[in-house]
Amino acid sequence: MSDDEGHASAAADGTTTGLEEEKKPVPTYGLVRFAELPEETKSDIIDLVTGTVERYITELDVACKTIKETLDRLYNPGWHAVVGENYGFEVSYDVDHLLYMFFNGNLGILVWKCTI
């Protein structure tokens, strides 16, 4: 048996040759990092945010605008939303009105209400 045949049979047996790159699974659900929301609205807001981002995953500006307008309509004006990657934040917000979560692994979603 040649070296090529041994290599092919080793790969067929499910062993790795060390050349394949190990891939980490990317979650396809929302991962809440921090939520300071009233218990009665927390799950509804998380569902709204994740559903909107799923629907507009290729148009994040539309997702952001839709989240803000929907929250303004349902829970009174003053809501803000940021959807994107690689950003930091420091915001002033009303007590019990902040949500920070991730979607699809690296897509950050920040939603807060500030009525100052």
Side-chain angles (χ1 to χ4, degrees):
M1 176 160 56
S2 71
D3 288 338
D4 291 338
E5 291 172 335
H7 180 70
S9 65
D13 290 341
T15 59
T16 60
T17 61
L19 300 176
E20 294 91 6
E21 187 176 314
E22 184 178 328
K23 294 186 179 185
K24 295 180 182 179
V26 175
T28 56
Y29 55 87
L31 176 66
V32 176
R33 184 78 171 137
F34 181 80
E36 187 178 315
L37 297 166
E39 287 301 318
E40 58 272 6
T41 61
K42 184 176 183 177
S43 63
D44 293 338
I45 291 174
I46 292 171
D47 291 345
L48 166 77
V49 168
T50 54
T52 303
V53 171
E54 278 181 332
R55 190 174 317 119
Y56 299 108
I57 193 69
T58 59
E59 300 173 290
L60 298 180
D61 56 333
V62 175
C64 193
K65 184 176 181 180
T66 303
I67 291 168
K68 186 237 184 306
E69 290 174 350
T70 305
L71 289 173
D72 280 347
R73 189 178 69 249
L74 294 174
Y75 302 108
N76 299 321
W79 287 91
H80 307 274
V82 177
V83 180
E85 296 178 1
N86 300 322
Y87 66 89
F89 67 92
E90 183 174 327
V91 296
S92 296
Y93 62 95
D94 294 352
V95 176
D96 288 341
H97 288 88
L98 177 76
L99 171 67
Y100 180 51
M101 64 184 297
F102 289 96
F103 188 80
N104 280 351
N106 60 346
L107 184 64
I109 304 166
L110 174 64
V111 177
W112 76 99
K113 183 176 183 179
C114 182
T115 55
I116 295 177

